[in-house]
């Protein structure tokens, strides 16, 4: 679910920054948790729960960025030398919320269709 100008903007960023790879990502809060390691233990936060800021106050540097598989721009030499789409000097292309929908399951398809309908975009 890309906006019409996303590919153009990503290519312009790739060329302008002179990077080897550009990865499409969506921002997420850093408030992740881990399950308890054993029965009777507590779940563990991956952040300081005593100093948790409000999400609205987080800076771009405090956010985490999820690679959702939506967009990659890679220099050919990276494919040749690393046999991978990511390598060398890599930067992030931050997608907006609409473009960040990752479709891997039927539930994801339903969520994407619902979002498209709310935005007035055609789904067929």
């Amino acid at each position: 679910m890309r906006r019409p100008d996303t590919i153009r903007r990503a290519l312009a960023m790739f060329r302008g920054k002179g990077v080897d790879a550009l990865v499409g990502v969506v921002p997420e809060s850093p408030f992740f948790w881990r399950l308890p390691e054993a029965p009777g233990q507590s779940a563990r936060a991956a952040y300081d729960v005593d100093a948790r800021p409000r999400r609205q106050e987080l800076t771009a540097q405090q956010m985490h960025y999820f690679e959702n598989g939506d967009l990659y721009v890679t220099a050919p030499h990276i494919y040749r030398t690393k046999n991978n789409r990511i390598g060398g000097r890599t930067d992030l292309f931050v997608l907006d919320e609409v473009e960040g929908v990752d479709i891997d399951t039927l539930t994801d398809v339903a969520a994407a269709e619902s979002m498209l309908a709310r935005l007035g975009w055609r789904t067929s």
Side-chain angles (χ1 to χ4, degrees):
M1 294 180 24
R2 287 189 210 106
R3 296 191 180 276
D5 69 334
T6 298
I7 299 294
R8 179 193 57 75
R9 290 183 302 110
L11 289 172
M13 181 179 174
F14 179 78
R15 290 180 188 120
K17 291 204 166 194
V19 295
D20 299 305
L22 193 64
V23 179
V25 296
V26 290
E28 291 190 359
S29 76
F31 307 131
F32 292 99
W33 285 77
R34 294 214 180 264
L35 293 171
E37 291 182 5
Q41 291 185 345
S42 181
R44 293 177 296 123
Y47 62 92
D48 182 357
V49 295
D50 294 326
R52 184 188 188 279
R54 295 181 335 133
R55 186 186 186 285
Q56 299 86 339
E57 296 169 348
L58 294 174
T59 65
Q61 287 73 27
Q62 291 174 302
M63 295 294 284
H64 286 208
Y65 293 87
F66 174 71
E67 173 188 347
N68 71 345
D70 183 79
L71 182 138
Y72 299 91
V73 182
T74 307
H77 72 90
I78 295 299
Y79 282 110
R80 285 192 300 271
T81 59
K82 299 227 178 251
N83 210 21
N84 194 345
R85 69 182 135 216
I86 303 171
R89 201 175 111 209
T90 303
D91 205 344
L92 304 180
F93 184 83
V94 181
L95 299 157
D96 72 25
E97 186 177 357
V98 173
E99 296 175 301
V101 175
D102 187 17
I103 300 176
D104 291 323
T105 67
L106 290 176
T107 302
D108 296 338
V109 171
E113 287 176 339
S114 175
M115 183 179 292
L116 288 170
R118 279 190 308 237
L119 294 169
W121 293 9
R122 288 183 34 218
T123 59
S124 57

